[in-house]
Amino acid sequence: MEEHKKFMQEAIRLSREGMQSDQGGPFGCVIVKDGEIIGRGNNKVSSTNDPTAHAEVVAIRDACKNIGHFQLDDCIVYTSCEPCPMCLGAIYWARPKKIFFACSRNDAADIDFDDDFIYKEIEMPVGNRSIPSEQISQKEAVEVFKEWKAKTDRIEY
């Protein structure tokens, strides 16, 4: 457990460092493989004008670049806060073996980072969501999916 706490302390340190240098909100993340940090990230949303630059996404991008692969098999994610829906999705796509988090999503809501509305939106039927969505050009887009399915040299993920 001491090793896990050591890595979490690094994620927390990154959260403070990024916040104090005005890169973004107070969130940090490290990704570890075989006892070594392979990816680091802190929130950089406001400094990069990128709404996807959450600590976990930044750390995933860093780790994948460093290992030369798009999946984080056998890795552990240490994040200073329970991942938001976007980050949780990114983590699942990256396929690490475990996530450790420090603050909860309720702790984040207490400082005005409240993702509860997104969790609720995901559960709603598409037509009832607050951002209107409408399906168009499905027939043409499905043709590309069919080509993908038939592609014999595709990289599986």
Side-chain angles (χ1 to χ4, degrees):
M1 189 51 97
E2 268 318 298
E3 185 171 85
H4 295 306
K5 287 183 178 181
K6 174 183 84 169
F7 293 126
M8 184 59 75
Q9 290 306 308
E10 177 62 7
I12 293 168
R13 186 191 70 73
L14 289 169
S15 73
R16 179 175 283 115
E17 182 180 279
M19 174 194 67
Q20 290 177 341
S21 64
D22 294 325
Q23 292 181 33
F27 304 96
C29 180
V30 296
I31 299 175
V32 174
K33 184 170 185 163
D34 300 326
E36 298 291 326
I37 295 175
I38 62 165
R40 286 179 166 80
N42 59 277
N43 184 290
K44 296 182 180 183
V45 169
S46 58
S47 62
T48 62
N49 294 318
D50 179 354
T52 69
H54 289 200
E56 296 89 340
V57 173
V58 172
I60 288 168
R61 290 173 181 163
D62 187 45
C64 289
K65 181 182 86 176
N66 290 334
I67 65 170
H69 201 271
F70 56 85
Q71 291 184 333
L72 299 174
D73 297 329
D74 298 319
C75 292
I76 301 174
V77 175
Y78 296 86
T79 181
S80 66
C81 187
E82 183 177 358
C84 75
M86 176 186 69
C87 292
L88 189 60
I91 290 167
Y92 270 84
W93 282 119
R95 295 180 174 91
K97 66 180 179 181
K98 189 162 186 170
I99 305 166
F100 286 95
F101 64 91
C103 293
S104 71
R105 67 191 212 194
N106 294 325
D107 295 326
D110 288 344
I111 61 163
D112 300 324
F113 286 93
D114 190 356
D115 300 321
D116 194 50
F117 78 98
I118 298 173
Y119 287 103
K120 290 177 181 171
E121 288 280 312
I122 291 169
E123 294 295 320
M124 288 185 171
V126 172
N128 294 348
R129 294 180 183 162
S130 63
I131 298 177
S133 298
E134 182 178 342
Q135 184 177 18
I136 61 171
S137 302
Q138 188 258 355
K139 181 180 174 185
E140 295 87 350
V142 162
E143 289 304 314
V144 180
F145 278 13
K146 289 177 184 176
E147 290 173 32
W148 169 259
K149 190 170 184 174
K151 186 173 168 51
T152 58
D153 62 343
R154 69 178 184 234
I155 297 172
E156 296 289 337
Y157 57 96

